[in-house]
Amino acid sequence: ILSVDANGYVTVLMTVGQSTLKYLVGYVGSEKSLVIPADVDAFYKYAFYRLEGLERIIIPAGAGAEGIGANAFVNCGLPHLIFEDSSIPTAWGTGWNSDGCPVALGYDGEEHTYTFNTDGGTAISPIVSDGIITLPTPSKSGMVFAGWYLSSDLSGDKLADSYYSSVNVTLYAKWVNEGEVIPDGTSEETAFEI
């Protein structure tokens, strides 16, 4: 049974062995931020194919636990895939994120305060949100911004371009001198924006 709900989610009920599963097969709405219905058992292949305006897809705990079809998120503008669960469903296996969409785990849907310590760079006001799709980029005279970190000593991994926290958090800016080799192996002279 194929159906389209009031929010534009296209689902189909399929019998697999002795079970009837609800597959998400597409989306025909116009929202940029989606929350997948919690009763979706699996994602069909190409479910979000070519939906390029999407910014984020929130996947509630347990949704899609039965599996995902190939290329479910291909050519959809690299939306952020935000899971309430703390891990990817085991039935998804490998290769499900063929386009390399950014992934966040442990999303709680609550607003938190994101504070930015720019270490002498341009001031950035705190942001209160359930997550940040694109982290701000400060500037500092004679320096090149080299990313945000969770620790004041700049240890650990540099954060991705987006960040979702389940607590209030302070992010710390890392700077390198102009012309100095930055962590990706380039220098200010050879780097270029993509």
Side-chain angles (χ1 to χ4, degrees):
I1 300 170
L2 180 70
S3 63
V4 179
D5 72 12
N7 296 314
Y9 294 102
V10 182
T11 58
V12 64
L13 294 177
M14 292 185 184
T15 301
V16 179
Q18 304 253 344
S19 301
T20 299
L21 300 177
K22 185 175 185 178
Y23 278 82
L24 179 68
V25 297
Y27 176 71
V28 294
S30 59
E31 296 295 321
K32 293 182 182 280
S33 181
L34 305 181
V35 178
I36 301 303
D39 64 346
V40 166
D41 297 307
F43 295 90
Y44 200 70
K45 62 184 177 181
Y46 296 102
F48 297 100
Y49 180 67
R50 300 194 108 172
L51 294 176
E52 296 179 6
L54 295 177
E55 292 178 355
R56 66 184 191 169
I57 300 172
I58 299 171
I59 302 166
E66 296 295 324
I68 188 167
N71 302 312
F73 303 108
V74 73
N75 291 338
C76 63
L78 298 179
H80 297 253
L81 305 176
I82 305 163
F83 293 84
E84 287 181 356
D85 286 325
S86 58
S87 63
I88 307 296
T90 55
W92 287 26
T94 61
W96 63 270
N97 191 4
S98 59
D99 273 8
C101 296
V103 173
L105 301 172
Y107 175 76
D108 67 3
E110 301 292 324
E111 288 191 340
H112 302 285
T113 300
Y114 297 81
T115 304
F116 302 91
N117 181 327
T118 62
D119 188 27
T122 52
I124 298 174
S125 296
I127 296 173
V128 177
S129 179
D130 65 342
I132 301 176
I133 291 178
T134 304
L135 287 169
T137 303
S139 61
K140 186 175 181 180
S141 180
M143 305 296 279
V144 176
F145 178 65
W148 292 109
Y149 289 77
L150 289 173
S151 62
S152 59
D153 66 0
L154 307 176
S155 62
D157 293 330
K158 174 179 138 179
L159 297 178
D161 290 336
S162 63
Y163 185 66
Y164 294 84
S165 179
S166 58
V167 296
N168 295 335
V169 65
T170 298
L171 305 180
Y172 298 88
K174 180 175 181 177
W175 301 98
V176 295
N177 292 317
E178 285 186 34
E180 184 178 332
V181 174
I182 52 180
D184 67 359
T186 65
S187 70
E188 178 64 15
E189 286 84 29
T190 62
F192 58 92
E193 289 199 29
I194 298 176

